[in-house]
Amino acid sequence: MRWRGRKSSKRVQNESLQPHAAANPDHQPISGSILADLAAVKESIGHNSDVRFREYRFGPDKIPIVVVYVAGLSDKELINDYIVNMLLMDGDGRHINNHELRDYLFDRAMPICELKEASTINSFTSSVMTGAAGLLVEGVAGGFTFGESQVLKRNMEEPPSESMVRGPRIGFIESLSHNTALLRRLAKTDSLAITSYQIGDRAKKEVAIAYISDIVDPKLLEEVKRRITRIKIDALQESGYIEQLIEDDFLSPFPQVQNTERPDRVLAAVLEGRVAIFLDGTPFALIAPVTFNMLLQTPEDYYERWMIGSLIRMLRYLTAFISLFTPAVYISFVSFHQGLIPTKLVFSIAASREGVPFPPLIEVLIMEVSIEILREAGLRLPKAIGQSIGIVGGLIIGEAAVQAGIVSPIMVIVVAVTAITSFSIPQYNAGIALRMLRFIAMFFAAVFGLYGVILFFLLLGAHLVKLKSFGMPYLSPVSPYRVKDWLDMIIRAPLFLMKKRPDQLQTKDQTRK
Amino acid sequence: MNRLPADRISTSQTTIILINMMLAAGILTLPRVATEKMMTPDAWIAVIVGGLISMVIALIMVKLCEQYPDKTFYQYNQVIVGKTLGSIISLAVVFYFLLLAALEVRVMAETTGLFLLQGTPIWAIIMPFIWIGLYLTLGGINAVARLLEIIFPITVLFFIVVVFLGLKIFELDNLRPVLGMGIKPIIDGVPATALSYSGYEIILIIYMFMQNQEKAKKVVLIGIGVPLIFYTLTLVVIVGALSVEGVLSQTWPVLTFIRGYEITGLFFERFDSLLLVIWIMEIFSTFIVSYFAVAMGLAQVFKKDTKIFYWGVLPVVYLIAMTPKNINSLFAFGGWISKFGFVLFGTIPGLLLLLSYIRRKNT
């Protein structure tokens, strides 16, 4: 290892000896001699075909200035406006000496809010490459950069991954500043704090966290900040990267950070005392901490009247349960405990399984795996084809497999029910987690019957009680008991009863006001 | 072991640990065990008396624990009676919990083998069960407490529903006459019923982890009160349904009782196996709490890391669980453990409390 290290350091030295790279390019200052500076900038980024240089002369003394920008990335209108403005002023007709020049430019000629100074070639070029326009002036040590990259954005539309019947039809987009602005516009409170970080060793991406400063638990906030600043990666592609790099237990099948495209969901979360994390370039915001319970809730539960909200929520708990256990229970009843179910049902199951050559586990596996394949195929294909895949798959599974005697009709019902229930879980990745676990449950049931199902339940319970999301027990408020929070667990109590913020989040300000 | 903040358990968690520790396999045979000695339908009175006696003992234990709020029983008995004697007492307690853990595992395996998985070898039933127990206990007292919080409502609700569904075969005449043979049989029956409460000794060990230790008295009163109601209810309903003779002739009277009625029109027809399945969780909870007590006791006596003992105790539990040859020797084994525990915990905490008072006066 040592030998290697030495070798690589040698290579770096060799490179720096080459004529086109100046000594230590990182800290080479902008000297004020425009020819030298321009040469250095060109050496650094001039080989890119989309980097443009444009020279002007300014004032009665014809001071040379150069504008550097990236075509398509920098805001050309902004450049034109300000450069034209600057040239028109023409130094107010005065002869400006080198000492005054910087101040004159800064105070008079460039009346722009985002004018920054860059002292080294390196900081200058990196600003240019991220979309700012750069300005070099003869006789001024240090360059200027102004403006930021043109935002390539789409319209804010209803998020396809979280559609709702009732609620705002607006979702986040791929631009961080627009997302935070949207949140701020909806929040309408001055205590909404947004702090941003530059994360990534190679590509510095902006990560912002949003919280309500007088609600959030300071310990939670500290923990989120600590985990985010600790991230070491070359480039963050999507908020899923952040999620995986800050989660508590990478071995758990359960998502420990929530993701959403809905600003109303984020707003509700920060108002409860949770912390939202945004990444530039993705519409998916993260919310931490999360409990299993929260994954089964939607904002719509709160928009509808409480009875509807509560009933639908209960339905979702039921579907989670069915999705996880139905095939396992089916296997254990059919293979082990026929005596437990009514005799007539036993007969009809037995009759329908007549001629099926496989044991129940294999039968279930065939069907469950094929429905997972269908789901995946339908998801990846273009929408129009995806639907036809559904029809073909449905026909094959529903009719042909039964008629061919591979599976029994009752099996088709079991698989269909589990598939539909797992889709009705609002959080996509939580649904997948349950689907994964369903297979484990099936194996337990195939070996031990109902005893296996109970063992699986205990194992799952043992895992879940150990799991934490940012220090918050994953199963709370069910375990540990937080009775105050039960108003918003399986039922969704009328709003006037929920005067307190969730106890489990230990907010600074417990009362909703 | 330090009392880290993360290792604290709330008052409700402590109560639930106590209740779950007491409710276990014992309840499935309780009607027979309680009635055996007395031969009268008055066993339920004996159960209440037994519960009250247990409460008194538990209060003595709490009093003892209050002397040393930041030490477990394993640690402070060395302070009271010296290192050697203290270690011996601790090892006896560890031995008791070890036997209890093994007993629960074996009873679970026997009933499962009988009612659910005919033909499956005992070892195959035991192995995954204790492995899951190990996985859980590695998470410490907090994980144990939280899982028990999930298990408790499910099992208790299900049990109550199942018992109440059987009310239609309940006949009050089976319970009459009350006190028909006087008080004597009740006094005879009390020791047997008091034994059915074994499990509350765990307060000696978990007291240290309590967040609000001043509520420990309330905890033991509620913690024993709930099983007391539970046991009484079970006894009344089941003796009422099966009669004294019927109860005595059954190995698992509770399961027989549930098999005695049939609810048609539901998805399930028979609830005995179903109750057993649910009750496995209750047995599991007793097992893991005892297991936790064993590992922690050994760790504190030998001053080593607890994790080693979590792994090390596992094969021992398995071997002890496999020792009884058949179900009769298993029941004999269970009776012996209860008596051992009764002697151990009926005398030692009281003596230690006295000694600690004397010690305190002298210094």
Side-chain angles (χ1 to χ4, degrees):
Chain A
M1 285 309 279
R2 209 170 178 185
W3 173 79
R4 247 195 207 173
R6 236 191 254 158
K7 196 182 175 193
S8 65
S9 69
K10 222 176 219 172
R11 200 188 306 146
V12 170
Q13 276 175 5
N14 282 345
E15 272 172 13
S16 66
L17 285 177
Q18 280 166 11
H20 65 82
N24 199 356
D26 279 1
H27 299 296
Q28 189 192 353
I30 294 179
S31 61
S33 150
I34 199 153
L35 285 177
D37 291 339
L38 196 57
V41 171
K42 276 190 174 162
E43 270 160 21
S44 172
I45 56 172
H47 54 89
N48 293 305
S49 59
D50 55 349
V51 175
R52 306 284 155 83
F53 300 87
R54 174 76 166 84
E55 292 178 28
Y56 302 92
R57 287 189 183 269
F58 164 73
D61 294 334
K62 304 286 180 214
I63 302 165
I65 60 175
V66 177
V67 176
V68 188
Y69 65 95
V70 178
L73 185 64
S74 311
D75 196 342
K76 258 186 226 168
E77 281 183 32
L78 192 79
I79 301 175
N80 288 341
D81 278 359
Y82 286 104
I83 295 300
V84 166
N85 179 44
M86 182 178 159
L87 293 176
L88 279 176
M89 288 179 72
D90 215 23
D92 297 328
R94 290 192 289 128
H95 293 280
I96 303 163
N97 63 25
N98 280 356
H99 299 291
E100 290 167 347
L101 192 53
R102 183 211 160 264
D103 292 336
Y104 177 77
L105 283 173
F106 214 93
D107 299 338
R108 285 278 293 142
M110 300 288 284
I112 173 173
C113 49
E114 290 204 26
L115 184 68
K116 290 175 195 144
E117 283 191 280
S119 58
T120 65
I121 295 287
N122 195 46
S123 63
F124 183 81
T125 52
S126 72
S127 291
V128 169
M129 291 313 277
T130 53
L135 184 65
L136 292 172
V137 183
E138 171 69 37
V140 177
F144 301 101
T145 59
F146 60 94
E148 55 183 20
S149 72
Q150 248 177 329
V151 179
L152 308 168
K153 69 179 179 88
R154 59 178 169 97
N155 288 332
M156 291 188 164
E157 286 158 351
E158 188 178 15
S161 70
E162 288 163 272
S163 55
M164 295 197 310
V165 177
R166 183 169 182 178
R169 304 219 181 274
I170 191 165
F172 289 129
I173 56 169
E174 284 77 3
S175 153
L176 180 98
S177 53
H178 283 81
N179 291 346
T180 50
L182 177 61
L183 188 65
R184 220 177 248 299
R185 217 180 70 76
L186 292 177
K188 294 209 188 302
T189 165
D190 50 359
S191 53
L192 173 70
I194 295 174
T195 319
S196 72
Y197 300 90
Q198 303 287 329
I199 306 291
D201 293 334
R202 182 166 294 275
K204 293 232 179 299
K205 283 244 190 156
E206 190 172 1
V207 175
I209 59 174
Y211 52 92
I212 306 278
S213 51
D214 53 1
I215 295 178
V216 71
D217 177 15
K219 266 186 272 169
L220 168 69
L221 186 61
E222 210 42 56
E223 181 65 21
V224 172
K225 284 183 177 168
R226 192 180 67 82
R227 290 193 194 182
I228 284 188
T229 46
R230 211 182 46 185
I231 292 178
K232 280 205 77 71
I233 191 169
D234 58 343
L236 289 168
Q237 300 291 335
E238 212 273 337
S239 53
Y241 278 51
I242 304 182
E243 176 180 349
Q244 291 166 60
L245 292 169
I246 64 174
E247 68 187 358
D248 291 64
D249 182 0
F250 75 101
L251 284 173
S252 172
F254 291 95
Q256 295 141 53
V257 182
Q258 191 172 15
N259 65 67
T260 182
E261 285 185 82
R262 299 197 69 95
D264 53 333
R265 187 171 227 161
V266 171
L267 186 61
V270 292
L271 282 171
E272 273 186 344
R274 294 156 75 198
V275 179
I277 303 165
F278 295 89
L279 173 69
D280 193 28
T282 174
F284 285 93
L286 302 175
I287 307 173
V290 70
T291 63
F292 183 69
N293 193 32
M294 291 172 186
L295 295 174
L296 291 180
Q297 300 174 354
T298 72
E300 206 174 349
D301 299 352
Y302 301 90
Y303 302 157
E304 279 298 346
R305 298 185 58 251
W306 74 277
M307 284 190 210
I308 302 172
S310 301
L311 271 175
I312 292 179
R313 201 176 263 188
M314 284 184 222
L315 198 67
R316 259 184 245 125
Y317 279 91
L318 185 69
T319 57
F321 187 79
I322 291 177
S323 159
L324 193 53
F325 288 108
T326 310
V329 170
Y330 170 79
I331 290 174
S332 48
F333 277 149
V334 172
S335 332
F336 290 91
H337 319 289
Q338 296 90 346
L340 279 179
I341 41 180
T343 326
K344 279 181 189 165
L345 189 59
V346 175
F347 284 139
S348 71
I349 291 178
S352 78
R353 292 202 73 243
E354 195 149 327
V356 176
F358 306 113
L361 174 69
I362 303 296
E363 198 188 350
V364 175
L365 271 182
I366 291 173
M367 293 303 279
E368 287 286 354
V369 169
S370 51
I371 206 153
E372 291 295 317
I373 294 171
L374 271 176
R375 182 191 57 78
E376 183 63 19
L379 204 66
R380 303 288 158 222
L381 283 170
K383 255 182 198 155
I385 311 175
Q387 278 172 358
S388 59
I389 280 282
I391 296 166
V392 172
L395 279 177
I396 289 171
I397 285 184
E399 286 294 318
V402 171
Q403 281 180 5
I406 297 172
V407 296
S408 61
I410 195 128
M411 187 60 241
V412 176
I413 298 176
V414 168
V415 171
V417 165
T418 33
I420 292 169
T421 50
S422 73
F423 292 138
S424 69
I425 290 164
Q427 194 83 32
Y428 176 69
N429 48 6
I432 293 190
L434 293 184
R435 286 215 292 275
M436 252 160 23
L437 291 170
R438 178 203 297 157
F439 284 91
I440 303 176
M442 275 153 48
F443 285 113
F444 268 92
V447 179
F448 289 117
L450 274 183
Y451 174 63
V453 176
I454 284 294
L455 283 183
F456 172 74
F457 182 79
L458 287 173
L459 185 63
L460 186 66
H463 171 69
L464 282 173
V465 295
K466 286 195 202 179
L467 191 61
K468 284 186 172 182
S469 165
F470 285 83
M472 187 157 87
Y474 201 63
L475 278 189
S476 91
V478 182
S479 153
Y481 293 160
R482 291 201 189 274
V483 183
K484 286 180 206 154
D485 293 350
W486 288 0
L487 285 176
D488 189 12
M489 186 172 70
I490 293 174
I491 61 157
R492 201 278 287 167
L495 289 176
F496 69 87
L497 283 179
M498 298 197 289
K499 286 266 193 294
K500 298 275 182 193
R501 295 211 163 80
D503 189 27
Q504 56 194 0
L505 288 163
Q506 301 182 343
T507 48
K508 269 198 258 182
D509 182 9
Q510 288 273 330
T511 323
R512 290 186 208 260
K513 63 179 182 208
Chain B
M1 192 193 263
N2 307 327
R3 198 166 59 160
L4 298 167
D7 270 347
R8 300 284 187 88
I9 50 175
S10 69
T11 312
S12 63
Q13 284 178 328
T14 322
T15 318
I16 282 169
I17 292 181
L18 265 179
I19 299 172
N20 272 331
M21 182 76 184
M22 272 178 267
L23 296 180
I27 199 165
L28 300 177
T29 53
L30 173 75
R32 175 170 53 79
V33 174
T35 317
E36 239 165 16
K37 284 267 162 58
M38 308 168 54
M39 310 298 285
T40 73
D42 293 337
W44 58 276
I45 303 176
V47 162
I48 294 176
V49 176
L52 294 177
I53 291 174
S54 307
M55 282 184 187
V56 173
I57 300 177
L59 286 177
I60 292 174
M61 290 178 180
V62 170
K63 203 86 203 144
L64 175 63
C65 290
E66 278 171 354
Q67 313 289 318
Y68 303 93
D70 50 358
K71 285 195 170 80
T72 65
F73 178 76
Y74 301 124
Q75 292 167 327
Y76 63 66
N77 64 20
Q78 299 196 358
V79 178
I80 301 174
V81 297
K83 222 162 195 169
T84 326
L85 201 56
S87 298
I88 292 171
I89 294 174
S90 295
L91 286 179
V93 171
V94 164
F95 187 58
Y96 166 76
F97 281 120
L98 182 65
L99 294 183
L100 191 63
L103 173 78
E104 292 299 333
V105 170
R106 179 61 187 267
V107 172
M108 184 280 304
E110 284 291 337
T111 45
T112 306
L114 190 65
F115 289 92
L116 292 171
L117 294 170
Q118 287 91 346
T120 308
I122 295 280
W123 63 263
I125 297 177
I126 289 180
M127 286 253 180
F129 191 80
I130 57 178
W131 277 109
I132 293 172
L134 172 68
Y135 173 67
L136 177 69
T137 41
L138 284 175
I141 181 83
N142 247 292
V144 171
R146 284 199 212 124
L147 187 67
L148 262 48
E149 276 179 312
I150 300 173
I151 291 177
F152 174 71
I154 302 175
T155 50
V156 165
L157 271 181
F158 193 82
F159 190 89
I160 290 176
V161 166
V162 164
V163 167
F164 272 96
L165 280 178
L167 274 184
K168 60 181 175 183
I169 57 169
F170 173 80
E171 278 176 40
L172 196 57
D173 284 345
N174 282 337
L175 286 171
R176 285 178 184 154
V178 176
L179 293 180
M181 292 164 78
I183 293 196
K184 177 102 191 5
I186 292 177
I187 295 170
D188 291 343
V190 165
T193 58
L195 291 182
S196 63
Y197 288 93
S198 60
Y200 58 83
E201 314 83 46
I202 199 71
I203 191 69
L204 287 174
I205 287 130
I206 59 173
Y207 178 84
M208 186 196 89
F209 297 102
M210 281 183 71
Q211 220 158 32
N212 305 310
Q213 293 181 325
E214 67 281 359
K215 290 194 181 147
K217 287 202 181 90
K218 211 174 107 194
V219 165
V220 293
L221 291 183
I222 298 176
I224 298 177
V226 171
L228 189 147
I229 295 167
F230 229 71
Y231 285 172
T232 315
L233 181 81
T234 313
L235 260 179
V236 167
V237 173
I238 287 167
V239 175
L242 299 180
S243 82
V244 173
E245 293 74 33
V247 165
L248 289 179
S249 62
Q250 296 300 329
T251 317
W252 311 99
V254 174
L255 298 179
T256 314
F257 156 74
I258 295 166
R259 199 178 290 175
Y261 65 85
E262 210 169 77
I263 309 284
T264 46
L266 282 178
F267 187 70
F268 299 112
E269 272 197 337
R270 290 189 21 216
F271 286 88
D272 54 339
S273 310
L274 214 55
L275 172 73
L276 190 63
V277 167
I278 299 288
W279 210 249
I280 286 170
M281 294 199 276
E282 202 58 67
I283 298 178
F284 180 77
S285 64
T286 306
F287 161 67
I288 48 170
V289 177
S290 321
Y291 191 77
F292 175 79
V294 172
M296 209 184 69
L298 289 174
Q300 292 185 344
V301 170
F302 296 110
K303 302 210 167 49
K304 292 262 164 59
D305 185 25
T306 322
K307 286 234 164 79
I308 306 167
F309 292 101
Y310 282 140
W311 290 91
V313 171
L314 201 70
V316 184
V317 169
Y318 174 75
L319 287 177
I320 299 177
M322 294 301 281
T323 312
K325 286 200 176 54
N326 53 35
I327 196 142
N328 287 327
S329 59
L330 181 66
F331 283 144
F333 178 53
W336 186 80
I337 294 173
S338 300
K339 277 177 200 137
F340 173 50
F342 197 65
V343 172
L344 193 65
F345 294 108
T347 55
I348 295 220
L351 284 176
L352 287 178
L353 184 64
L354 264 178
L355 278 174
S356 75
Y357 276 141
I358 294 169
R359 214 160 243 271
R360 209 142 273 198
K361 275 221 177 107
N362 288 349
T363 51

